[in-house]
Amino acid sequence: MSSTLIGIRDDTVDGLYSPAKQKAANRGNYTSRSALFLRRAPQLLAAVKFKLLLAFSLLCLAIFLSSKLSSFMGWIPDRASLVSSPYRGSYTVLINTWRRNSPLKRTAAHYASCVGADAIHVVWSEIEPPSERLKSDLDRAVKLKSWRPDIRVEIEENGGGGSGRFKPIDEVRTDAIFSVDDDVIVPCSSLEFAFSVWKTAPLTMVGFVPRMHWLDLDKSGGVFHRYGGWLSVWWMGSYSMVLSKAAFFHKKYLDLYTNEMPSPLQDYLARERNCEDIAMSMVVANASGTPPLWVKGKIQEIGSWGTSNGKGKEKRNECLNDLLSFYETVPLLSTNVKIVNARQEWVW
């Protein structure tokens, strides 16, 4: 007859399960973990302090580098000017015209439709004054587009001369001047974006037409400065000027250009009609110590090609070198910064 031995587990016997023992063991584990945490707490606190100190140092360094880079790129806000001007949210359109009445009327009407335009002034560069009919046509064209801008015709003394396009105008109420040729149309959206860029850098020129210069050798081995058009900018990836045919600058440069420029330089510009835009670039660069800013944007030219094409390049080279001879050092500064509207770019 077989028998079965049944073992009964005694909770008091070592090695067998006991709820009381398990609770005591758990309390021991918790105690050991707490002790370990307390021993490591100073190390963890030191690590947190180090990370916070490192983050703060990096932030300070970023702010410092940003300020230095901003100064180099022209981002030096003229806060006193921007705050004090009641018209800091708008700009004055300054249209230079010469023997192109039909494009002038179209251009004036277009810029009258831009919401940021406070007024439109036309610089008349011909010997004969504008006809009353032309004035009436301009007024009618502007009123059809916008009720806000006023338009008046500025007549240069002595009838013509490129230097007269930058004469100070007492009636200008805005700090910002948008200088444009009578055959250049910039879409209002692009114009407003460029104006927003200029407000961050009111001491420099902000425009749509970049140009550059560099040192070169002539046939006799002499050194001279060569003027480069758009293809040179595209090829080299840098520029040192933005032309006043479509550019923003502060109105104080009108006074600086007209009233503080040396007489020999003014006489030269009066003789050489096609050099005034290069001269203005030098005036702004020399006064601000900053390079210009090129804003990417599509512009439409409804007139003829400018002097930067074909044989006109030689004339531009001559202008550039003649103007630089009036300065002790070259005021123009090169940069490779191109401003784009991130809302209109797929990759940025």
Side-chain angles (χ1 to χ4, degrees):
M1 183 176 179
S2 62
S3 61
T4 303
L5 179 63
I6 300 175
I8 301 175
R9 186 170 60 190
D10 186 358
D11 291 341
T12 61
V13 179
D14 293 338
L16 299 179
Y17 175 78
S18 170
K21 284 186 176 183
Q22 186 64 38
K23 290 181 180 180
N26 290 340
R27 284 196 299 269
N29 291 336
Y30 294 151
T31 302
S32 61
R33 290 177 183 176
S34 298
L36 179 62
F37 176 77
L38 291 177
R39 287 196 302 269
R40 296 186 59 187
Q43 300 176 359
L44 296 175
L45 183 59
V48 171
K49 288 182 178 180
F50 174 76
K51 291 180 179 180
L52 290 176
L53 181 60
L54 179 61
F56 179 75
S57 301
L58 292 176
L59 178 61
C60 292
L61 179 61
I63 294 174
F64 173 77
L65 292 178
S66 176
S67 63
K68 293 298 182 182
L69 183 60
S70 297
S71 299
F72 176 75
M73 292 168 52
W75 263 272
I76 310 176
D78 189 354
R79 301 187 185 279
S81 173
L82 293 178
V83 172
S84 62
S85 174
Y87 298 96
R88 61 183 180 273
S90 55
Y91 49 85
T92 297
V93 180
L94 189 65
I95 303 176
N96 182 62
T97 185
W98 190 66
R99 296 183 180 179
R100 289 186 292 203
N101 293 349
S102 179
L104 171 63
K105 289 183 282 187
R106 179 180 172 184
T107 301
H110 166 73
Y111 290 114
S113 67
C114 298
V115 296
D118 176 69
I120 297 176
H121 294 271
V122 177
V123 179
W124 189 261
S125 301
E126 299 182 33
I127 297 177
E128 296 295 328
S131 65
E132 293 299 323
R133 179 177 179 180
L134 177 60
K135 293 181 181 180
S136 299
D137 290 344
L138 288 174
D139 289 337
R140 189 182 309 110
V142 168
K143 290 178 181 178
L144 287 175
K145 287 290 185 176
S146 175
W147 58 270
R148 180 183 178 186
D150 300 324
I151 186 166
R152 63 191 300 265
V153 178
E154 283 292 310
I155 303 176
E156 292 186 10
E157 296 181 4
N158 301 323
S163 59
R165 74 175 293 181
F166 297 127
K167 290 170 54 179
I169 303 174
D170 295 335
E171 292 79 5
V172 170
R173 301 180 295 186
T174 65
D175 287 336
I177 298 291
F178 179 66
S179 174
V180 64
D181 285 355
D182 57 7
D183 62 341
V184 175
I185 292 181
V186 179
C188 291
S189 58
S190 299
L191 190 61
E192 299 301 326
F193 174 67
F195 178 52
S196 69
V197 174
W198 177 86
K199 287 190 290 185
T200 69
L203 299 184
T204 192
M205 288 186 72
V206 176
F208 296 92
V209 186
R211 295 293 185 264
M212 69 172 303
H213 78 287
W214 67 93
L215 285 174
D216 204 349
L217 297 177
D218 57 22
K219 295 180 180 180
S220 62
V223 178
F224 75 105
H225 293 272
R226 183 176 294 278
Y227 177 91
W230 162 244
L231 288 179
S232 300
V233 173
W234 175 80
W235 180 257
M236 298 187 178
S238 63
Y239 60 97
S240 57
M241 295 171 275
V242 290
L243 299 186
S244 57
K245 67 184 298 180
F248 281 96
F249 54 80
H250 198 284
K251 68 177 180 181
K252 69 180 182 180
Y253 292 121
L254 296 176
D255 180 72
L256 191 63
Y257 184 99
T258 303
N259 298 324
E260 298 188 29
M261 184 181 291
S263 297
L265 183 51
Q266 291 184 358
D267 294 339
Y268 175 84
L269 292 171
R271 296 191 308 268
E272 303 294 336
R273 177 178 183 81
N274 294 319
C275 300
E276 79 282 351
D277 53 352
I278 300 178
M280 176 55 86
S281 291
M282 292 186 184
V283 167
V284 176
N286 188 61
S288 66
T290 60
L293 293 175
W294 167 32
V295 176
K296 180 182 178 180
K298 294 182 179 179
I299 65 174
Q300 181 183 5
E301 297 192 50
I302 58 178
S304 59
W305 290 97
T307 58
S308 296
N309 299 275
K311 295 182 179 179
K313 288 185 178 180
E314 294 302 321
K315 184 60 179 179
R316 300 292 271 181
N317 286 334
E318 181 181 340
C319 285
L320 176 64
N321 287 274
D322 289 345
L323 292 173
L324 287 175
S325 67
F326 289 95
Y327 291 87
E328 294 181 358
T329 59
V330 178
L332 299 174
L333 298 173
S334 297
T335 180
N336 58 4
V337 175
K338 180 171 71 172
I339 311 297
V340 299
N341 191 338
R343 295 180 179 180
Q344 298 178 359
E345 298 290 328
W346 286 98
V347 179
W348 60 278

